[in-house]
Amino acid sequence: MAELRRPTESGVPDPMKFMHPVLKKNYGNWLWHDRPRPGVLHHVAKSGDQVWTVRAGTARQLDVYTIRKLCDIADQFAEGHVRFTTRANIEYMVGSESKVKPLVEKLEAEGFPVGGTGNSVAMISHTQGWLHCDIPGTDASGVVKALMDVLYHEFKNEEMPNRVKITTSCCQINCGGQGDIAINVQHTKPPKINHDLVSNVCERPAVVARCPVAAIRPAMVNGKPSLEVDEKKCMCCGACFPPCPPMQINDPVNSKLAIWVGGKHSSTRSKPTFHKLVVAGLPNNAPRWPEVAEVVLNILKVYKADGRPWERMGEWIERIGWPRFFEMTGLPFTKFHIESWRGGRSSLNASSQVRLG
Amino acid sequence: MAKPMPITPNLDQLESGPWPSFVTGLKRLAQSEDKHYSTMMKDLLGQLELSYKTRKGFWKGGLVGVFGYGGGVIPRFSEVADQFPGCREFHTLRIMPPAGMHYDTKTLRALCDIWERHGSGLIALHGQSGDIMFQGADTEHVQAAFDEFNEFGFDLGGAGAAVRTSMSCVGAARCENSCYDEAKAMRKMVNAVLDDMHRPSLPYKFKFKFSGCANDCVNATHRSDMALLGTWRGDMQVDQAEVKKYIAKNGRKWAIDQVVTLCPTNALSLNDDDTLAVDNRSCVRCMHCLNVMTKALQPGKERGLTILVGGKATLKIGAQMGTVVVPFMRMETEEDYDKLVELGQTILDFFADNALEHERTGEMIDRIGLVNFLEAVGLDLDPNMVNHPRTCSYVRMDDWDEEVAKWNARKSGAKAAAE
């Protein structure tokens, strides 16, 4: 057997050798920027150097042919350097304004929409889903593709009160993160346990410890060591499924989708916030999830019409109040919208400030 | 005879519409009959179509890695390999990108070539933790793929109970709001703890994220155990001539509605001559006015960062944001960066020694209390750490005088140091 190669523990690569020369030259010395049009940023350095960045949407899950095509565009219409944003957009940097228009036209002609800057709806951040995750309740790339098709105009234009960050997650762990709008799987039934497999596959004490509400306990079932779930306690979060795959939480009908709004990462103006539940019970309706798209478009329409400049989704709702949000979107307010955990009372209205009609 | 393309009526519907389609990309790989991955990708499409039809996932984990490391590969074995033998094994290599995700085309092409030789040709740019995800190698090819990436200057990222791959914003490379060298801090920090990334032995995952200002473009506050957010001390820089130009162009109502009244601490007001009055002692460096008037307003000159600890997603007690543990750390000299790395290592070591199994840093702090955490890692208390002081009197305070003495000693020490 050939001798195995020891890894070179080189860590995070130095970006300087890959960076566009204007960026490298002016590193740490930028002065201001503006956006000449949606999808294009213009940065000016203290040295007087300028750089234009053209941002385009991708599918994130890319085949090598597509990546090479993006590289060809960089070599022919830009200057051979690109970078990627945290939301899977590609950015081309060019040192002269005259290169912007041909680059934008080429990207559009090749099917890569230019946009995603400023107060647009940004590319949806997403997870792995059925394509590669071991615990997904739904797909990720497909949900995003279906939604970005209907949000195409909003990606390419800057017509929202402020930027809109949408996220998706294919289980309740929420790897997609917090969003102005978050579309996440919500299970509605306890796991179905394959008792024949539990003792061979699962480390039972670890699974018991994993349950947030202590609903799992060891049990003998059909003469075999297994686990059982107190279904009155279980809130169907699916936390037991990753360490114990025989506790199947995903269900084609009962794993639903829920929509949350008002999450915000930045400390800009208001402090960061978590997204809040607005709708649940939507069907996991592959391949295009039309029921989800309808709710998202409706929320965006109302926000777009009523939000003031710079108000993020959550800041807009903070101003108009939740009663008006539910009224304007026509969405129902149910007992599930009220926090029910021990610390949750801090989310209740402890004042006489109410909004009536 | 070539294996036929699978019938995929569900996936086919994701090829229409204006947004770029990942399905078209998957099919292109499957149809590359001259490539070794063609069969694998046909079966991958077949399995994915089955997921769309049944609304169930069919991957399970396992143990696959590379020699010398304990993590960084996400093993995937098909549960329906009898129907789709070509993708029986479809593992992902998480590879760390250059900080800030900068590439030249030569490098991107070379990465594609390596992945075509050993894997499926499918690459995610990038995963939610910031990895390049090379998806789809069988067990036999994982080592060879890694060896080539590694020889080319790239290294595996984190997976499992380990330090995870980090992210830094575009920052100093192209942003006037950058308050420290994000890429440098990120590389220094992560490269100092690679052993805890490549050989998972922590209680659970640990993430660092680096944003150059309060806009937090890499979502550090919610998404990392230790969030480094750029900020400044002292007055922000105001170019009053540019302020006047903005107001001449956009009007006073605009300035009042979109700048002044949106300041969260009422630190701004408009002067009669259309210049801006700034109450810098009330400013919380939120970035709003700088975002609006990019040409007129700049961060102050003494730059550094605010450190938050304890952010995480839902598992298992609900999502948490990081909370402030260091209000300001100056980031100017090499020693400042060394000090940051030292603190990161101290916090990581404390987490390694004290968190329970599968407990994140934020949950550990919930259990032991912020004060014990701060004492253990050697950080001083600061009122910036709270929204407001305690409201409940049920606490034992018999060493109040000693704590007051500590505070006073620190204050007089700081005053003496300043003089």
Side-chain angles (χ1 to χ4, degrees):
Chain A
M1 194 181 141
E3 203 177 321
L4 287 163
R5 175 187 168 278
R6 291 214 155 266
T8 305
E9 210 152 354
S10 50
V12 186
D14 185 353
M16 290 302 175
K17 53 184 172 181
F18 308 110
M19 199 178 284
H20 188 282
V22 178
L23 268 51
K24 195 172 159 182
K25 183 188 159 202
N26 296 286
Y27 195 87
N29 286 298
W30 293 93
L31 196 57
W32 62 277
H33 83 279
D34 61 1
R35 300 193 306 278
R37 53 152 282 176
V40 179
L41 308 169
H42 165 231
H43 287 87
V44 180
K46 288 175 188 164
S47 67
D49 287 352
Q50 302 181 64
V51 74
W52 285 263
T53 300
V54 177
R55 183 180 292 175
T58 74
R60 191 181 82 127
Q61 296 287 4
L62 301 168
D63 59 291
V64 288
Y65 299 100
T66 301
I67 297 174
R68 288 180 186 132
K69 188 192 281 179
L70 291 165
C71 288
D72 290 343
I73 296 171
D75 291 336
Q76 290 160 23
F77 291 83
E79 291 159 3
H81 295 266
V82 298
R83 68 174 295 274
F84 289 83
T85 69
T86 54
R87 300 179 85 87
N89 302 297
I90 189 167
E91 291 185 337
Y92 293 82
M93 278 68 63
V94 292
S96 69
E97 193 178 8
S98 62
K99 290 183 180 171
V100 170
K101 193 162 172 274
L103 175 57
V104 169
E105 283 169 4
K106 177 66 178 172
L107 283 164
E108 294 278 355
E110 294 289 348
F112 302 105
V114 170
T117 52
N119 45 328
S120 63
V121 175
M123 165 61 166
I124 301 174
S125 80
H126 64 294
T127 53
Q128 289 294 82
W130 287 327
L131 182 65
H132 206 253
C133 185
D134 58 339
I135 55 169
T138 187
D139 197 29
S141 315
V143 182
V144 170
K145 159 68 179 156
L147 279 164
M148 288 313 291
D149 276 343
V150 297
L151 296 169
Y152 191 70
H153 175 88
E154 302 299 349
F155 177 84
K156 286 169 58 87
N157 292 278
E158 298 178 345
E159 296 173 353
M160 289 288 162
N162 200 343
R163 63 201 66 224
V164 178
K165 307 285 191 191
I166 303 180
T167 66
T168 69
S169 288
C170 42
C171 78
Q172 286 183 229
I173 296 172
N174 192 27
C175 300
Q178 299 289 318
D180 291 290
I181 302 177
I183 303 148
N184 298 351
V185 159
Q186 183 82 21
H187 304 295
T188 62
K189 291 283 183 276
K192 289 187 184 126
I193 307 174
N194 183 340
H195 293 288
D196 291 337
L197 296 179
V198 169
S199 64
N200 283 336
V201 177
C202 315
E203 194 186 323
R204 292 189 303 155
V207 183
V208 169
R210 191 68 57 88
C211 179
V213 291
I216 302 174
R217 57 196 170 219
M220 292 294 284
V221 182
N222 304 326
K224 285 182 184 162
S226 186
L227 294 163
E228 65 182 13
V229 172
D230 180 343
E231 297 202 352
K232 287 204 287 288
K233 276 190 187 174
C234 176
M235 36 73 170
C236 316
C237 70
C240 52
F241 181 49
C244 188
M247 300 184 75
Q248 178 58 261
I249 189 72
N250 291 314
D251 182 283
V253 176
N254 295 312
S255 293
K256 305 283 192 185
L257 288 155
I259 294 180
W260 309 67
V261 304
K264 170 175 168 289
H265 293 289
S266 74
S267 290
T268 310
R269 294 173 306 281
S270 52
K271 288 185 178 182
T273 50
F274 293 121
H275 51 230
K276 287 97 180 160
L277 176 71
V278 289
V279 184
L282 297 169
N284 185 14
N285 202 355
R288 282 202 164 266
W289 294 271
E291 298 83 359
V292 171
E294 190 187 329
V295 175
V296 169
L297 287 174
N298 176 36
I299 293 169
L300 283 174
K301 192 177 131 199
V302 178
Y303 165 65
K304 187 176 177 176
D306 198 60
R308 291 180 186 162
W310 302 99
E311 275 180 342
R312 290 282 292 268
M313 179 79 66
E315 294 169 322
W316 162 62
I317 299 169
E318 192 63 29
R319 173 171 61 82
I320 66 169
W322 285 100
R324 191 131 163 261
F325 172 85
F326 283 100
E327 181 197 310
M328 291 175 84
T329 54
L331 296 168
F333 182 76
T334 72
K335 68 178 183 179
F336 298 109
H337 291 96
I338 297 176
E339 295 268 29
S340 52
W341 59 288
R342 177 65 180 79
R345 274 197 88 201
S346 61
S347 70
L348 305 184
N349 181 6
S351 76
S352 67
Q353 296 183 4
V354 294
R355 307 190 195 229
L356 305 169
Chain B
M1 204 184 92
K3 184 183 169 86
M5 284 290 283
I7 309 293
T8 54
N10 280 288
L11 294 178
D12 295 350
Q13 293 180 54
L14 291 171
E15 287 196 274
S16 59
W19 193 259
S21 170
F22 71 106
V23 173
T24 304
L26 296 177
K27 285 189 178 178
R28 182 124 185 239
L29 294 169
Q31 283 162 338
S32 299
E33 299 291 351
D34 58 329
K35 305 288 188 196
H36 69 94
Y37 50 70
S38 167
T39 305
M40 176 190 249
M41 293 307 288
K42 281 174 186 163
D43 277 344
L44 181 87
L45 277 163
Q47 177 174 325
L48 189 57
E49 175 68 20
L50 183 65
S51 283
Y52 269 72
K53 201 170 132 192
T54 59
R55 296 176 190 182
K56 284 162 100 169
F58 297 105
W59 298 110
K60 60 184 173 190
L63 286 172
V64 178
V66 299
F67 181 66
Y69 287 172
V73 178
I74 308 297
R76 288 291 176 260
F77 295 90
S78 173
E79 289 175 329
V80 284
D82 51 335
Q83 294 174 65
F84 306 106
C87 63
R88 177 183 303 277
E89 297 162 353
F90 199 81
H91 315 311
T92 285
L93 276 80
R94 288 184 175 169
I95 296 282
M96 289 190 280
M101 296 170 177
H102 297 271
Y103 299 93
D104 55 37
T105 54
K106 205 176 121 217
T107 304
L108 272 180
R109 289 181 202 276
L111 293 171
C112 287
D113 293 346
I114 295 172
W115 194 235
E116 267 206 313
R117 280 197 285 281
H118 303 289
S120 70
L122 178 66
I123 305 172
L125 292 165
H126 296 79
Q128 287 287 14
S129 286
D131 295 280
I132 316 172
M133 296 197 296
F134 292 93
Q135 302 159 110
D138 57 21
T139 310
E140 194 193 332
H141 284 89
V142 165
Q143 183 72 49
F146 169 68
D147 286 345
E148 276 212 59
F149 287 132
N150 197 210
E151 295 283 348
F152 189 57
F154 286 74
D155 199 359
L156 274 187
V163 170
R164 297 302 186 87
T165 300
S166 182
M167 282 167 118
S168 57
C169 64
V170 66
R174 202 194 55 202
C175 182
E176 67 272 18
N177 292 330
S178 164
C179 287
Y180 65 102
D181 187 338
E182 304 83 1
K184 176 178 167 172
M186 191 266 254
R187 290 186 67 235
K188 272 196 99 141
M189 186 69 246
V190 173
N191 290 348
V193 295
L194 288 175
D195 191 39
D196 276 321
M197 170 178 283
H198 291 140
R199 295 164 198 90
S201 57
L202 297 173
Y204 197 19
K205 65 182 88 171
F206 192 97
K207 299 185 177 184
F208 298 98
K209 280 189 165 58
F210 300 78
S211 281
C213 76
N215 286 327
D216 194 1
C217 289
V218 297
N219 309 334
T221 308
H222 292 82
R223 301 198 67 134
S224 62
D225 298 278
M226 185 163 169
L228 300 306
L229 300 169
T231 191
W232 66 90
R233 194 153 60 180
D235 297 355
M236 74 168 166
Q237 303 179 69
V238 184
D239 182 336
Q240 297 289 10
E242 289 294 341
V243 171
K244 284 187 177 187
K245 279 190 208 164
Y246 272 103
I247 294 169
K249 186 178 166 211
N250 298 295
R252 285 197 188 113
K253 181 175 168 54
W254 171 88
I256 292 165
D257 288 353
Q258 297 202 28
V259 182
V260 173
T261 61
L262 292 181
C263 174
T265 52
N266 300 323
L268 300 177
S269 72
L270 191 63
N271 293 323
D272 289 338
D273 63 355
D274 289 344
T275 58
L276 199 61
V278 184
D279 171 10
N280 278 290
R281 285 179 64 87
S282 299
C283 170
V284 287
R285 289 90 171 105
C286 88
M287 299 304 296
H288 174 74
C289 58
L290 286 86
N291 291 342
V292 182
M293 300 202 288
T294 62
K295 215 170 171 177
L297 306 175
Q298 292 245 300
K301 285 183 175 160
E302 189 186 354
R303 304 209 178 170
L305 44 79
T306 300
I307 303 177
L308 279 64
V309 165
K312 57 176 281 299
T314 319
L315 246 185
K316 77 173 205 182
I317 56 155
Q320 293 187 331
M321 293 179 214
T323 57
V324 174
V325 298
V326 177
F328 184 77
M329 182 184 265
R330 202 183 52 166
M331 295 301 283
E332 282 164 12
T333 64
E334 206 58 38
E335 291 70 45
D336 295 335
Y337 284 81
D338 291 341
K339 212 175 117 197
L340 173 68
V341 172
E342 208 176 295
L343 176 64
Q345 283 176 313
T346 304
I347 290 175
L348 186 62
D349 286 347
F350 182 79
F351 168 69
D353 292 344
N354 293 282
L356 303 176
E357 191 197 328
H358 212 262
E359 188 176 57
R360 287 287 288 273
T361 307
E363 294 164 311
M364 173 188 74
I365 293 173
D366 276 358
R367 178 167 54 80
I368 67 173
L370 181 67
V371 171
N372 284 326
F373 173 78
L374 294 171
E375 277 178 11
V377 299
L379 291 172
D380 290 332
L381 289 172
D382 189 292
N384 278 304
M385 294 171 183
V386 297
N387 280 331
H388 56 74
R390 170 188 297 282
T391 58
C392 176
S393 74
Y394 284 2
V395 57
R396 187 168 167 173
M397 294 195 262
D398 40 1
D399 53 354
W400 171 263
D401 290 341
E402 287 88 327
E403 291 302 317
V404 171
K406 275 192 215 167
W407 171 262
N408 288 336
R410 252 181 66 208
K411 283 283 128 185
S412 54
K415 207 175 157 199
E419 286 161 4

